[in-house]
């Protein structure tokens, strides 16, 4: 599911939780994946957090 400006707050929150779970660095590390995957997961995790924070500020959530 992709979110856009017409997505409800609930839809955005659901997608955020899914992505955070998918890219959580601890989960990636637990899978025994190489260091470059862990670095990628950390970067992606930060990107997801920043995007969600921006959306929350814009929408007043």
């Amino acid at each position: 599911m992709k979110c856009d400006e017409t997505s409800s707050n609930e839809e955005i929150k659901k997608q955020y939780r899914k992505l955070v779970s998918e890219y959580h660095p601890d989960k990636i590390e637990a899978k025994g994946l190489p260091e470059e995957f862990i670095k990628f997961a950390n970067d992606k995790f930060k990107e997801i957090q920043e995007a969600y924070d921006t959306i929350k500020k814009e929408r007043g959530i």
Side-chain angles (χ1 to χ4, degrees), residues 1 3-5 7-17 52 55 59 61:
M1 177 176 123
C3 294
D4 61 24
E5 56 275 342
S7 298
S8 72
N9 291 346
E10 251 336 286
E11 290 170 323
I12 290 171
K13 190 176 189 178
K14 184 178 179 181
Q15 183 65 10
Y16 163 75
R17 287 181 174 164
Y52 189 60
I55 291 167
R59 291 185 172 210
I61 299 174

Side-chain angles (χ1 to χ4, degrees), residues 23-58:
Y23 289 100
H24 197 285
D26 291 343
K27 284 190 175 187
I28 300 296
E29 197 168 339
K31 291 178 182 177
L33 295 170
E35 187 63 36
E36 65 260 14
F37 283 96
I38 295 168
K39 182 181 177 346
F40 172 78
N42 277 312
D43 293 344
K44 191 72 173 172
F45 190 75
K46 286 178 194 172
E47 186 181 309
I48 294 164
Q49 294 282 48
E50 289 169 5
Y52 189 60
D53 287 343
T54 299
I55 291 167
K56 288 192 315 185
K57 285 178 189 169
E58 287 178 2

